Amino acid sequence: MEGKRTWLTPFLVAGTRHLPGLRSPRRCAGPAEEQHWTRYAGALLAFSLFSAVLLYAMQRLQRWLPFNPQGLSQDNVSPDLGFNTAVSFTTNTNWQSYVPEATLSYFVQMAGLTMHNFLSAAAGLSIAVALVRGFAAHSIKTIGNFLSDLTRATLYVLLPISIVAALIFVSQGVIQNLHPYTAATTLEGVKQTIAQGPVASQEAIKQLGTNGGGFSTQTLPTRSRIRRRSRICSRCF
Protein backbone atom coordinates (compact mmCIF):
# COMPACT_ATOMS: atom_id res chain seq x y z
CA MET A 1 0.00 0.00 0.00
CA GLU A 2 3.04 2.29 0.16
CA GLY A 3 4.03 1.88 -3.49
CA LYS A 4 7.10 -0.30 -2.90
CA ARG A 5 8.28 -2.76 -5.53
CA THR A 6 6.91 -6.29 -5.16
CA TRP A 7 7.07 -9.49 -7.20
CA LEU A 8 3.85 -8.38 -8.93
CA THR A 9 5.37 -5.13 -10.19
CA PRO A 10 6.65 -6.51 -13.54
CA PHE A 11 3.23 -7.97 -14.31
CA LEU A 12 1.25 -4.84 -13.44
CA VAL A 13 3.58 -2.12 -14.70
CA ALA A 14 1.93 -1.95 -18.12
CA GLY A 15 -1.53 -1.48 -16.67
CA THR A 16 -0.68 0.88 -13.84
CA ARG A 17 1.48 3.14 -16.01
CA HIS A 18 -1.63 4.75 -17.52
CA LEU A 19 -3.66 5.05 -14.32
CA PRO A 20 -3.89 8.40 -12.48
CA GLY A 21 -1.62 8.50 -9.44
CA LEU A 22 0.13 5.29 -10.45
CA ARG A 23 2.48 6.40 -13.20
CA SER A 24 5.28 4.40 -11.62
CA PRO A 25 4.63 1.14 -9.74
CA ARG A 26 7.72 1.80 -7.60
CA ARG A 27 6.89 5.42 -6.71
CA CYS A 28 3.14 5.97 -6.42
CA ALA A 29 1.53 9.24 -5.42
CA GLY A 30 4.28 11.74 -4.80
CA PRO A 31 4.05 14.54 -2.20
CA ALA A 32 2.04 16.77 -4.57
CA GLU A 33 -0.66 14.09 -4.77
CA GLU A 34 -1.02 13.56 -1.02
CA GLN A 35 -4.47 14.44 0.35
CA HIS A 36 -5.68 15.97 3.60
CA TRP A 37 -8.20 13.79 5.39
CA THR A 38 -11.07 16.00 4.20
CA ARG A 39 -10.03 15.60 0.57
CA TYR A 40 -9.46 11.88 1.12
CA ALA A 41 -12.96 11.49 2.56
CA GLY A 42 -14.40 13.62 -0.24
CA ALA A 43 -12.73 11.44 -2.85
CA LEU A 44 -14.15 8.33 -1.16
CA LEU A 45 -17.68 9.74 -1.13
CA ALA A 46 -17.47 11.01 -4.72
CA PHE A 47 -16.16 7.67 -5.95
CA SER A 48 -18.85 5.77 -4.05
CA LEU A 49 -21.58 8.00 -5.45
CA PHE A 50 -20.32 7.60 -9.01
CA SER A 51 -19.99 3.82 -8.72
CA ALA A 52 -23.48 3.50 -7.20
CA VAL A 53 -25.03 5.51 -10.04
CA LEU A 54 -23.11 3.42 -12.58
CA LEU A 55 -24.35 0.14 -11.06
CA TYR A 56 -27.92 1.42 -11.00
CA ALA A 57 -27.65 2.36 -14.68
CA MET A 58 -26.25 -1.08 -15.54
CA GLN A 59 -29.21 -2.80 -13.93
CA ARG A 60 -31.80 -0.61 -15.61
CA LEU A 61 -30.13 -0.83 -19.03
CA GLN A 62 -29.17 -4.51 -18.97
CA ARG A 63 -31.51 -5.26 -21.87
CA TRP A 64 -29.10 -3.46 -24.23
CA LEU A 65 -25.88 -4.69 -22.62
CA PRO A 66 -23.89 -7.77 -23.76
CA PHE A 67 -23.69 -11.22 -22.16
CA ASN A 68 -27.41 -11.52 -21.57
CA PRO A 69 -28.40 -14.92 -23.04
CA GLN A 70 -31.62 -15.09 -21.01
CA GLY A 71 -32.84 -11.75 -22.36
CA LEU A 72 -33.30 -10.13 -18.95
CA SER A 73 -34.44 -6.49 -19.09
CA GLN A 74 -35.32 -3.51 -16.93
CA ASP A 75 -38.65 -5.22 -16.24
CA ASN A 76 -36.74 -7.64 -14.00
CA VAL A 77 -35.25 -4.76 -11.97
CA SER A 78 -37.67 -2.18 -10.58
CA PRO A 79 -36.31 1.32 -9.79
CA ASP A 80 -36.43 0.75 -6.03
CA LEU A 81 -34.80 -2.68 -6.32
CA GLY A 82 -32.04 -1.26 -8.53
CA PHE A 83 -31.42 1.56 -6.06
CA ASN A 84 -31.32 -0.82 -3.09
CA THR A 85 -28.89 -3.16 -4.87
CA ALA A 86 -26.62 -0.32 -6.03
CA VAL A 87 -26.34 1.22 -2.57
CA SER A 88 -26.03 -2.18 -0.91
CA PHE A 89 -23.08 -3.34 -3.03
CA THR A 90 -21.37 0.06 -2.97
CA THR A 91 -21.35 0.09 0.83
CA ASN A 92 -20.20 -3.56 1.13
CA THR A 93 -23.55 -4.54 2.61
CA ASN A 94 -24.34 -6.73 -0.41
CA TRP A 95 -27.89 -7.43 0.72
CA GLN A 96 -29.95 -9.18 -1.96
CA SER A 97 -33.73 -9.00 -2.03
CA TYR A 98 -34.12 -10.68 -5.41
CA VAL A 99 -33.39 -13.95 -7.20
CA PRO A 100 -30.02 -13.26 -8.89
CA GLU A 101 -30.23 -15.78 -11.74
CA ALA A 102 -33.70 -14.54 -12.71
CA THR A 103 -32.97 -10.84 -12.30
CA LEU A 104 -29.49 -9.83 -13.49
CA SER A 105 -27.56 -10.65 -16.66
CA TYR A 106 -24.04 -12.02 -16.75
CA PHE A 107 -22.68 -8.58 -17.65
CA VAL A 108 -24.30 -6.91 -14.64
CA GLN A 109 -23.14 -9.71 -12.38
CA MET A 110 -19.54 -9.39 -13.64
CA ALA A 111 -19.05 -5.69 -14.42
CA GLY A 112 -21.48 -4.52 -11.75
CA LEU A 113 -21.72 -6.76 -8.69
CA THR A 114 -18.34 -8.51 -8.90
CA MET A 115 -16.57 -5.23 -9.59
CA HIS A 116 -18.24 -3.69 -6.55
CA ASN A 117 -17.14 -6.67 -4.49
CA PHE A 118 -13.59 -5.66 -5.38
CA LEU A 119 -14.02 -1.91 -5.03
CA SER A 120 -15.95 -1.90 -1.76
CA ALA A 121 -13.41 -4.20 -0.14
CA ALA A 122 -10.54 -2.12 -1.56
CA ALA A 123 -12.17 1.06 -0.23
CA GLY A 124 -12.34 -0.51 3.23
CA LEU A 125 -8.66 -1.44 3.08
CA SER A 126 -7.78 2.07 1.91
CA ILE A 127 -9.64 3.68 4.80
CA ALA A 128 -7.94 1.35 7.29
CA VAL A 129 -4.48 2.18 5.93
CA ALA A 130 -5.26 5.91 5.88
CA LEU A 131 -6.39 5.71 9.50
CA VAL A 132 -3.14 4.02 10.49
CA ARG A 133 -1.17 6.72 8.67
CA GLY A 134 -3.08 9.39 10.56
CA PHE A 135 -2.34 7.82 13.94
CA ALA A 136 1.30 7.09 13.09
CA ALA A 137 2.21 10.57 11.81
CA HIS A 138 0.78 13.23 14.13
CA SER A 139 2.68 16.12 12.56
CA ILE A 140 1.78 15.32 8.94
CA LYS A 141 -1.45 16.80 7.61
CA THR A 142 -1.88 14.33 4.73
CA ILE A 143 -2.88 10.68 4.88
CA GLY A 144 -2.18 9.49 1.32
CA ASN A 145 -4.11 9.45 -1.93
CA PHE A 146 -7.45 7.64 -2.08
CA LEU A 147 -7.32 6.67 -5.76
CA SER A 148 -3.79 5.33 -5.41
CA ASP A 149 -4.67 3.35 -2.27
CA LEU A 150 -7.81 1.97 -3.93
CA THR A 151 -5.91 0.86 -7.03
CA ARG A 152 -3.06 -0.72 -5.05
CA ALA A 153 -5.47 -2.62 -2.79
CA THR A 154 -7.29 -3.96 -5.85
CA LEU A 155 -4.33 -4.82 -8.10
CA TYR A 156 -1.76 -5.90 -5.53
CA VAL A 157 -3.91 -7.57 -2.87
CA LEU A 158 -7.44 -8.55 -3.87
CA LEU A 159 -7.04 -9.37 -7.56
CA PRO A 160 -4.08 -11.81 -7.33
CA ILE A 161 -5.64 -13.76 -4.45
CA SER A 162 -9.02 -13.84 -6.21
CA ILE A 163 -7.48 -15.17 -9.43
CA VAL A 164 -5.82 -18.02 -7.57
CA ALA A 165 -9.00 -18.76 -5.61
CA ALA A 166 -11.15 -18.71 -8.77
CA LEU A 167 -8.79 -21.16 -10.50
CA ILE A 168 -8.99 -23.48 -7.49
CA PHE A 169 -12.79 -23.27 -7.56
CA VAL A 170 -12.86 -24.08 -11.29
CA SER A 171 -10.49 -27.02 -10.77
CA GLN A 172 -12.98 -28.39 -8.22
CA GLY A 173 -15.86 -28.08 -10.66
CA VAL A 174 -17.43 -24.71 -9.86
CA ILE A 175 -19.15 -23.31 -12.94
CA GLN A 176 -17.41 -20.54 -14.90
CA ASN A 177 -18.94 -19.89 -18.31
CA LEU A 178 -21.20 -17.59 -20.33
CA HIS A 179 -23.55 -20.29 -21.60
CA PRO A 180 -27.35 -19.95 -21.66
CA TYR A 181 -29.21 -21.73 -18.88
CA THR A 182 -29.54 -25.47 -19.34
CA ALA A 183 -33.00 -27.03 -19.69
CA ALA A 184 -32.99 -30.52 -18.19
CA THR A 185 -35.49 -33.27 -17.47
CA THR A 186 -35.18 -35.20 -14.21
CA LEU A 187 -35.67 -38.97 -13.86
CA GLU A 188 -39.18 -38.20 -12.64
CA GLY A 189 -39.91 -36.34 -15.87
CA VAL A 190 -39.91 -32.89 -14.26
CA LYS A 191 -38.58 -29.98 -16.31
CA GLN A 192 -35.75 -28.09 -14.61
CA THR A 193 -33.73 -25.01 -15.55
CA ILE A 194 -30.12 -25.14 -14.39
CA ALA A 195 -28.44 -21.75 -14.09
CA GLN A 196 -25.04 -21.22 -15.70
CA GLY A 197 -22.66 -18.26 -15.59
CA PRO A 198 -19.34 -16.91 -14.26
CA VAL A 199 -19.80 -18.22 -10.74
CA ALA A 200 -16.23 -19.03 -9.68
CA SER A 201 -14.88 -15.54 -10.32
CA GLN A 202 -17.62 -13.90 -8.26
CA GLU A 203 -17.48 -16.38 -5.41
CA ALA A 204 -13.71 -15.87 -5.05
CA ILE A 205 -13.89 -12.15 -4.30
CA LYS A 206 -17.14 -12.60 -2.41
CA GLN A 207 -15.42 -14.84 0.11
CA LEU A 208 -12.21 -12.80 0.19
CA GLY A 209 -13.91 -9.44 0.63
CA THR A 210 -16.43 -10.83 3.16
CA ASN A 211 -19.22 -9.72 0.84
CA GLY A 212 -22.77 -10.94 1.17
CA GLY A 213 -25.03 -12.10 -1.61
CA GLY A 214 -24.21 -14.62 -4.29
CA PHE A 215 -24.50 -15.48 -7.95
CA SER A 216 -27.51 -17.75 -7.57
CA THR A 217 -30.04 -18.81 -4.99
CA GLN A 218 -30.11 -22.40 -6.18
CA THR A 219 -27.44 -25.02 -5.56
CA LEU A 220 -25.36 -24.86 -8.71
CA PRO A 221 -24.22 -28.27 -9.97
CA THR A 222 -20.48 -28.74 -10.35
CA ARG A 223 -18.93 -30.96 -13.00
CA SER A 224 -17.90 -33.52 -10.36
CA ARG A 225 -21.42 -33.57 -8.93
CA ILE A 226 -22.87 -34.05 -12.42
CA ARG A 227 -20.47 -36.95 -13.05
CA ARG A 228 -21.48 -38.57 -9.75
CA ARG A 229 -25.16 -38.21 -10.64
CA SER A 230 -24.51 -39.71 -14.07
CA ARG A 231 -22.81 -42.75 -12.52
CA ILE A 232 -25.65 -43.19 -10.05
CA CYS A 233 -28.26 -42.95 -12.81
CA SER A 234 -26.37 -45.43 -15.00
CA ARG A 235 -26.43 -47.95 -12.12
CA CYS A 236 -30.19 -47.52 -11.81
CA PHE A 237 -30.62 -49.01 -15.27
Side-chain angles (χ1 to χ4, degrees):
M1 295 292 286
E2 296 301 328
K4 297 180 180 179
R5 184 179 180 85
T6 68
W7 64 272
L8 286 173
T9 299
F11 301 98
L12 299 176
V13 63
T16 58
R17 182 180 300 156
H18 305 289
L19 292 176
L22 286 172
R23 296 176 184 177
S24 169
R26 288 172 292 182
R27 186 178 58 84
C28 303
E33 297 172 309
E34 291 282 314
Q35 296 174 324
H36 187 265
W37 76 266
T38 54
R39 289 188 57 199
Y40 198 100
L44 167 65
L45 295 176
F47 177 82
S48 299
L49 177 61
F50 172 79
S51 60
V53 172
L54 182 61
L55 178 56
Y56 177 83
M58 283 185 185
Q59 296 176 84
R60 297 289 292 161
L61 299 175
Q62 66 175 344
R63 177 180 179 182
W64 296 279
L65 297 176
F67 304 122
N68 186 14
Q70 299 307 118
L72 301 174
S73 67
Q74 66 273 16
D75 296 333
N76 299 95
V77 184
S78 61
D80 59 330
L81 177 61
F83 176 79
N84 177 80
T85 303
V87 174
S88 167
F89 274 79
T90 300
T91 58
N92 208 313
T93 309
N94 306 89
W95 178 58
Q96 291 177 315
S97 59
Y98 57 91
V99 180
E101 67 270 23
T103 306
L104 300 177
S105 67
Y106 293 162
F107 182 85
V108 177
Q109 295 259 34
M110 292 186 297
L113 304 189
T114 303
M115 182 61 67
H116 273 71
N117 285 344
F118 277 100
L119 296 179
S120 61
L125 288 174
S126 301
I127 295 172
V129 171
L131 186 63
V132 172
R133 291 191 190 118
F135 285 134
H138 301 283
S139 59
I140 299 178
K141 296 182 179 180
T142 58
I143 58 173
N145 182 284
F146 172 73
L147 182 57
S148 296
D149 290 344
L150 182 80
T151 308
R152 294 183 198 126
T154 302
L155 295 182
Y156 287 88
V157 180
L158 299 175
L159 185 60
I161 299 176
S162 296
I163 291 176
V164 174
L167 292 176
I168 294 175
F169 288 163
V170 171
S171 71
Q172 298 303 305
V174 178
I175 294 174
Q176 180 72 21
N177 59 53
L178 298 174
H179 299 162
Y181 293 175
T182 301
T185 302
T186 66
L187 295 177
E188 293 80 13
V190 179
K191 299 292 184 180
Q192 182 180 10
T193 300
I194 303 175
Q196 303 292 327
V199 180
S201 56
Q202 181 168 338
E203 289 299 312
I205 183 58
K206 166 192 167 182
Q207 300 298 334
L208 177 61
T210 63
N211 301 287
F215 190 91
S216 174
T217 56
Q218 63 175 278
T219 302
L220 292 172
T222 63
R223 290 192 295 270
S224 58
R225 189 177 298 137
I226 292 174
R227 287 194 293 268
R228 288 197 299 269
R229 290 178 179 176
S230 300
R231 288 195 295 267
I232 293 174
C233 291
S234 62
R235 294 171 185 170
C236 295
F237 298 94

